[in-house]
Amino acid sequence: MSLPTTGPIDVQGTHNANSYYSRGTIVSVGAITSSDNVTAYSDKRLKKNIRPLHDCLELISKLDVYRYNWKENGKKAIGVIAQEVEEVFPEFVIEVQDETKGTIKTVDYAKLATISLKGIKELVGMISELRDDIKQLKEEVNGKTQNR
């Protein structure tokens, strides 16, 4: 099966197990919309050298989020700059070949969300520690006040 290089592509379950498989990168100049999930393999059986990631807040703090307009159509957007992400998380940046623009850096925003999740967990831990510290300080202050 070959797909057209221009115009819409409508895949409606006429392929293997209601799916279209690509062994390469699919590049779209326009939006890609799905009425269901867009997923990526994450099965533990497919991974090796699994180890926890630490200090995500420190890494996240090195990234900035920007408001900008796309040069091509002026459309407003919010996001990160691939070159900046690449300095901190090189595995989140993928280069694709564009027929007119040459090599373009793209960002895997789903992986950025994963790092954000880890950062939130780190913040929850810090908040818990601060609550414990505040509780202890209140107990010390109340103890000194009662001894007067």
Side-chain angles (χ1 to χ4, degrees):
M1 176 183 121
S2 65
L3 297 174
T5 56
T6 59
I9 298 171
D10 192 9
V11 180
Q12 295 188 10
T14 58
H15 309 287
N16 182 12
N18 296 327
S19 299
Y20 169 74
Y21 292 93
S22 170
R23 296 231 180 255
T25 301
I26 298 173
V27 178
S28 170
V29 176
I32 297 175
T33 305
S34 171
S35 63
D36 205 343
N37 290 324
V38 178
T39 64
Y41 285 172
S42 188
D43 193 306
K44 186 176 184 176
R45 297 171 299 161
L46 303 175
K47 302 173 183 184
K48 62 182 182 178
N49 300 324
I50 299 170
R51 55 205 180 280
L53 185 61
H54 300 284
D55 302 320
C56 282
L57 285 177
E58 183 180 330
L59 296 170
I60 290 168
S61 71
K62 295 178 181 180
L63 299 177
D64 283 313
V65 178
Y66 300 95
R67 288 182 185 270
Y68 56 89
N69 297 81
W70 289 106
K71 290 180 179 180
E72 193 167 56
N73 58 16
K75 187 175 179 180
K76 293 179 182 180
I78 296 174
V80 294
I81 304 296
Q83 288 81 350
E84 293 178 4
V85 172
E86 189 172 37
E87 290 177 15
V88 182
F89 300 109
E91 57 270 72
F92 292 7
V93 176
I94 302 164
E95 291 186 343
V96 297
Q97 292 300 317
D98 183 278
E99 291 177 0
T100 59
K101 296 175 183 75
T103 302
I104 300 293
K105 293 181 184 287
T106 66
V107 173
D108 186 336
Y109 277 90
K111 288 181 181 168
L112 276 178
T114 303
I115 292 299
S116 299
L117 176 63
K118 178 65 174 175
I120 290 168
K121 288 180 71 174
E122 289 179 11
L123 284 172
V124 168
M126 293 168 77
I127 290 168
S128 180
E129 286 179 27
L130 290 171
R131 282 184 177 155
D132 290 345
D133 290 348
I134 290 169
K135 182 179 177 184
Q136 182 180 352
L137 289 170
K138 283 182 175 180
E139 289 171 356
E140 289 176 16
V141 168
N142 289 337
K144 289 179 182 179
T145 309
Q146 290 174 359
N147 291 336
R148 285 186 179 182

